[in-house]
Amino acid sequence: MRRYRVAVIPGDGVGKEVIPAGLEVLEALAEREGGFELTFDLFDWGSDHYRATGLMMPPDGLDQIRSSDAIYFGAVGSPGVPDHISLWGLRLAICQPFDQYANVRPARVLPGIVSPLRAVTGPELDWVIVRENSEGEYAGAGGRVHRGLPPEVATDVTIMTRAGVERIFRFAFALARSRPRKLLTIVTKSNAQRHAMVMWDEIGAEIAREFADVAWDRMLVDAMTMRMTLRPQSLDTIVASNLHADILSDLAAALAGSLGIAPTANLNPERRFPSMFEPIHGSAFDIAGKGIANPIGSFWTGAMMLEHLGEKTGADRLMRAIERATADTSLHTPDLGGKATTRAVTDAVIAVIRGENL
């Protein structure tokens, strides 16, 4: 029996609804598969913890989860807690020390879901966006001086290192090579950002020579938004900086039907630290507590986690169950234009896992 220990951090808002739903689905899947066992360690870190203690997680939080095989994360952010405190106090406080430098976000139109592009069907939109997740525009370098005075100045400095850029490009090219189309698009803004992004372009071209079997092109980030909406079939694997990929991946999720279905993996590819898996929809406090949050993103995230752990058969089975559920439009939650509840979608996916020959 293969055994895995997973640190579970539901976090804030709908994270406290979709992560428990994901745990139910993962437990049902492990029971069905029979070859592996998941042990979940629950951590109540987040904005409620901050209100009680002044910290988003305990000072020794990283040590508490360091030995986990993976981290299953819900969302962070809450009214009344400044976003920069919640983000840097929890999510980034895990991603950066654990060197989870490759953020991977697949996007495709699942069965039964209609893209806002209307004419687009599944095969025309099947992307994986690779986001540099450790430096760039979110490196945290900068500061403020002369606060509250007329000459007040605030800076956020983009930091790109050759080592950081090389490793994300090698990761992205290798991922593109593993996909049928062997196609990579590099996103840039080197026409306006003439230092860091020019280096980004130059290193991308250098690394491309190591992957002669991968076709690649380069696209300015603003033009990329147009290409994603007008020519989605021309894209496959995409690599972009921390900020650019953050924005483009939300666009990709929306074009695939909803932020509620989209997963992400924060990977430490060398596996020196645990990797973290989360749906990308955020805490969504406007619907929190109503029982209508879409749990599909947390289920797909669970499938990515299983594949990372080496349980590809289980991951594939879970994806088939997800697709069986989304194909039934009566199981669409409000973000997809339906009336289904979190509970109904969860029960349906579990029923498929337990009862169908997937």
Side-chain angles (χ1 to χ4, degrees), residues 317-357:
R317 186 186 297 277
L318 178 51
M319 282 307 303
R320 291 193 295 271
I322 290 168
E323 292 174 351
R324 189 79 61 86
T326 61
D328 182 351
T329 56
S330 72
L331 294 173
H332 286 188
T333 43
D335 60 302
L336 294 173
K339 297 181 179 180
T341 63
T342 309
R343 181 74 264 160
V345 178
T346 303
D347 289 343
V349 171
I350 290 173
V352 172
I353 289 172
R354 288 177 173 165
E356 296 291 337
N357 182 24

Side-chain angles (χ1 to χ4, degrees), residues 10 36 43 56 70-71 76 88 114 143 150 182 199 271 313 345:
F36 66 90
F43 297 89
M56 293 293 292
I71 304 164
V76 66
W88 281 93
V114 178
K182 293 181 170 51
M199 185 182 81
R271 299 175 186 260
T313 301
V345 178

Side-chain angles (χ1 to χ4, degrees), residues 99-129:
D99 203 19
Q100 296 167 352
Y101 65 84
N103 179 282
V104 179
R105 298 189 173 189
R108 61 185 174 92
V109 182
L110 297 176
I113 295 177
V114 178
S115 166
L117 300 180
R118 304 302 178 195
V120 169
T121 56
E124 291 183 276
L125 198 164
D126 184 359
W127 307 330
V128 177
I129 297 178

Side-chain angles (χ1 to χ4, degrees), residues 45-97:
W45 304 339
S47 294
D48 288 343
H49 191 275
Y50 175 81
R51 293 186 183 97
T53 68
L55 296 171
M56 293 293 292
M57 68 177 185
D60 65 343
L62 292 178
D63 290 334
Q64 292 186 41
I65 62 177
R66 189 182 303 272
S67 62
S68 302
D69 295 299
I71 304 164
Y72 193 40
F73 186 87
V76 66
S78 174
V81 179
D83 289 340
H84 67 281
I85 289 177
S86 58
L87 185 65
W88 281 93
L90 187 57
R91 186 185 175 277
L92 291 179
I94 295 172
C95 284
Q96 291 198 348

Side-chain angles (χ1 to χ4, degrees), residues 17 71 75 82 86 90 117 123 131 140 142 179 249 263-264 268-269 304 347:
E17 301 171 49
I71 304 164
S86 58
L90 187 57
L117 300 180
R131 168 184 172 185
R179 287 168 59 82
S249 58
T264 192
N268 174 248
M304 293 183 75
D347 289 343

